[in-house]
Amino acid sequence: MHSDYHLKRQSEFSWRIDPFGKMRVPGIIYADEALISDMDDKVFEQLCNVATLPGIVQAAYAMPDAHWGYGFPIGGVAAFDADEGGVVSAGGVGFDISCGVRALRTGLTIDDIESRKTELANALYRQIPVGVGSTGRIHLNDKGMTAMLTGGARWAVEQGYGDPADLEHIEERGCMAGADPGEISARARKRQQDEMGTLGSGNHYLEVQRVAEIYDKKIAAAFGLEENDAVVFIHCGSRGLGHQIGTEFLKYMVLAASSHHIDLPDRELACAPINSELGQAYLGAMRAGINCALANRQIITHLTRQVFADVLPRADLTLLFDVSHNTCKVETHTVEGKKRKLFVHRKGATRAFGPGHPDIPETLRAVGQPVLIGGSMGTESHILAGSRQGEELSFNSACHGAGRAMSRRQATRQWKGRSVVDELGARGIVIRSPSMRGVAEEAPGAYKDVRAVVDAAEQAGLAHKVARVEPRVCVKG
């Protein structure tokens, strides 16, 4: 099993690749034996490559949902110390900067929704633009764009999209500090000027779900969840702006690598020293991209509330939490007994602070940060809580979803969109999408078993299972 990488089993749910060649630290993978066996060799190759980067601290990590990505594996986590020549990598953040998930409580049970779910699906589909190149009703001029890139979800709330109380339940309280809109190109601004409040395409979706099972009643109560509650998951990111930032800075980093004396094992790992001019420019742009994603999910939340107010007036949509997946954030972590300021890259991985962490909202601090694990279209999703041991295991990081088991092209060869919609409809799940090809690409069978991924994350100690939710309505690109 992946013998070329001398994989050693540390425990039932933890595996290690000792440093070899130019690796500065080991590679650590959290997974059970079945998940490890199914991982593409490219995951291990990319993890070993990440471990060669300057200034990396402790280990390069892969989460249970890890699969082949651009430079870093998706599901990859790595932390760097700027004072030791550490780098920031655009490939270690990803193209869809701050792609993430937010969960909303509705104040309703699934029984309140079941007879209206087709009407609800149609109304959500009309109100929230989806699909490749989708545009919304909001047009931002250059001044408005700069304000949004600076303010994130706080800007959105100030514009009337949502409630100030929402901000307490968003990472960074809705606004990523250190954003530099001056580093956002005219091309990136143009791509985003009409895309605010849109879901986009790919695996992005809005789902109305039923809380099907509670694993931990105490934490679920703190999260305001009970069995048969109706909840909403919104999964989307920074749209065209984030992609443009990634595209441009990857090019800049490749061109500058030799001048920074960085020997790249793979050009897709293009990076720059954190303390360099290029590194600081990317961080300013990336943080602006995070604010774009936070504002986007905030606007979609407002649109969703409008739909529920029309279709189900008794609903009261309150924000449980909003998590980001593709980021690099400055955090303080204890390494070998010493507190260090580190630049933690999470690509297709979720921040998962444990109980007591000061960055968790006060109402949730005693039980840990909500960790939202989105399933694939038509399959269950999960709500977890950060664990105390996550600090030493993975810099407080956990998985982010099911992880693809096959490419989109392979999926379209195996499934037809219309048949997928019909099959899910027979199970009582209403799908709305502008693209049957997109539905085929995101067929449930194209992904790993999300329950196996979540079980592995819990057994490894990365996070604690709280609840399982099942979709009843899905609007996707």
Side-chain angles (χ1 to χ4, degrees), residues 2-3 53 184 223 326 336:
H2 309 298
S3 58
L53 294 177
I184 304 300
F223 286 2
N326 296 344
E336 297 179 348

Side-chain angles (χ1 to χ4, degrees), residues 248-267:
E248 291 171 358
F249 275 91
L250 276 164
K251 179 182 176 181
Y252 302 153
M253 288 176 176
V254 167
L255 294 174
S258 61
S259 67
H260 292 133
H261 308 291
I262 297 174
D263 182 18
L264 293 175
D266 178 355
R267 70 185 301 276

Side-chain angles (χ1 to χ4, degrees), residues 19-38:
F20 67 91
K22 296 183 178 181
M23 290 174 66
R24 301 168 190 262
V25 294
I28 304 292
I29 306 103
Y30 295 108
D32 62 19
E33 189 166 346
L35 289 167
I36 278 280
S37 297
D38 288 342

Side-chain angles (χ1 to χ4, degrees), residues 50-200:
V50 172
T52 71
L53 294 177
I56 189 169
V57 174
Q58 195 162 277
Y61 297 97
M63 301 296 106
D65 54 339
H67 54 289
W68 180 18
Y70 189 97
F72 275 54
I74 297 168
V77 175
F80 298 85
D81 189 331
D83 294 334
E84 295 186 357
V87 296
V88 61
S89 170
V93 171
F95 287 96
D96 192 3
I97 295 169
S98 190
C99 175
V101 177
R102 67 168 48 192
L104 301 162
R105 297 165 297 230
T106 66
L108 303 174
T109 69
I110 202 64
D111 294 333
D112 297 320
I113 285 175
E114 199 64 29
S115 64
R116 309 290 297 277
K117 65 185 180 184
T118 299
E119 182 183 356
L120 186 61
N122 291 337
L124 288 166
Y125 184 62
R126 286 193 304 268
Q127 179 78 330
I128 300 166
V130 296
V132 176
S134 53
T135 57
R137 300 179 184 90
I138 300 168
H139 175 84
L140 293 180
N141 60 22
D142 205 51
K143 182 179 178 180
M145 179 71 65
T146 296
M148 180 273 290
L149 295 172
T150 303
R154 288 186 195 171
W155 167 87
V157 169
E158 289 168 0
Q159 301 302 306
Y161 302 109
D163 191 291
D166 294 338
L167 300 175
E168 183 65 19
H169 292 261
I170 304 172
E171 287 186 13
E172 315 303 331
R173 289 170 173 79
C175 179
M176 187 72 219
D180 185 355
E183 295 294 345
I184 304 300
S185 70
R187 173 63 179 152
R189 288 168 176 259
K190 183 174 178 59
R191 289 186 65 175
Q192 194 62 32
Q193 65 184 4
D194 295 307
E195 289 192 348
M196 298 306 296
T198 66
L199 278 173

